[in-house]
Amino acid sequence: MGAVCYNWLPMEKRINPRLLHSEPMRRCQLGECHAACCLHGVWIDRMEAQDIMDNAERIAPHLEAENRDPADWFDGREEPDDHAITGVTVHSTVLPDPDHYGGTACIFLRRDHLCALQVAANAASLPPWRFKPFYCILHPLDLDEEGRITLDETGLLLDEPGSCLRRAERPIPLVETFEPELRYLLGEQGYRRLVEENGKQEA
């Protein structure tokens, strides 16, 4: 759903120039981080949350047994968000989890460190991010003040044990590091244009 926000905008309105750099970093692996990024849950566009509820019968069987009641999936918080499709986000429930990084975890995180939303999509032979909230897909990328896709300064991210990023031996173009997310958010044509612009900058 989040891709709807970006396909029609010109590239300079979608991408912060920060992503046209190469940096010595790589993505983490699930076996390294155990989905540490899920410790605080996520803000979810109200429309995305309704879509999750509308598909509860598909999703619930893939959660831990004690978390399958859809009434428990959101904690009641709401927050205005200029970048959300509806302008309002709601928050997923966060549960105590002494075995998870930080001692808490999003209700949709399973004990095998997989997201139930993604598992449900795979089980239904749908695209893997069909039920994933926009901000989950985006992470560890972010939106800047103008709503463009960007990446925070990585020093702190690389030094954080729960980070989705790890140090690499050589600089890697960020458009490669975040290829799956950028292909989804920009579409195939938009991603190809981004790669072309990145090549021009490096030349």
Side-chain angles (χ1 to χ4, degrees):
M1 287 188 179
V4 175
C5 299
Y6 290 94
N7 285 337
W8 59 274
L9 291 170
M11 189 62 68
E12 64 272 14
K13 296 290 188 180
R14 291 186 272 177
I15 294 293
N16 186 300
R18 169 96 167 83
L19 287 181
L20 296 177
H21 296 166
S22 294
E23 298 189 18
M25 71 175 74
R26 62 175 178 85
R27 299 299 294 270
C28 69
Q29 300 296 321
L30 191 61
E32 295 175 329
C33 68
H34 295 167
C37 60
C38 299
L39 81 161
H40 294 310
V42 64
W43 288 102
I44 304 173
D45 185 277
R46 184 185 281 166
M47 185 171 71
E48 294 177 316
Q50 184 59 54
D51 181 63
I52 289 171
M53 296 297 284
D54 290 344
N55 287 278
E57 289 186 1
R58 285 176 161 177
I59 295 168
H62 302 285
L63 275 82
E64 301 299 335
E66 65 271 21
N67 298 333
R68 290 177 182 170
D69 185 348
D72 297 332
W73 293 354
F74 303 99
D75 65 11
R77 286 182 288 168
E78 292 191 353
E79 187 171 282
D81 184 338
D82 292 338
H83 303 310
I85 297 172
T86 64
V88 178
T89 54
V90 299
H91 205 277
S92 66
T93 297
V94 178
L95 300 172
D97 186 346
D99 296 324
H100 188 252
Y101 177 80
T104 59
C106 178
I107 194 169
F108 295 114
L109 186 66
R110 298 160 26 127
R111 291 193 183 95
D112 59 5
H113 313 302
L114 298 177
C115 175
L117 299 176
Q118 194 160 338
V119 172
N122 289 334
S125 299
L126 296 169
W129 287 339
R130 168 61 182 82
F131 304 126
K132 292 277 276 193
F134 169 71
Y135 285 118
C136 286
I137 298 170
L138 185 67
H139 186 81
L141 296 171
D142 203 350
L143 300 179
D144 67 13
E145 295 175 351
E146 299 176 32
R148 299 175 300 178
I149 301 171
T150 190
L151 178 68
D152 287 340
E153 292 301 322
T154 56
L156 292 176
L157 290 175
L158 291 174
D159 294 332
E160 165 57 50
S163 173
C164 293
L165 300 170
R166 298 289 185 269
R167 297 188 183 277
E169 295 180 356
R170 62 177 179 84
I172 303 171
L174 295 181
V175 296
E176 291 183 17
T177 303
F178 300 105
E179 177 180 351
E181 293 86 355
L182 294 171
R183 280 188 184 278
Y184 178 85
L185 295 168
L186 303 176
E188 289 296 325
Q189 183 176 357
Y191 180 73
R192 286 197 297 270
R193 284 183 53 205
L194 179 63
V195 171
E196 291 172 3
E197 292 188 16
N198 183 67
K200 292 175 184 177
Q201 173 156 318
E202 291 186 342

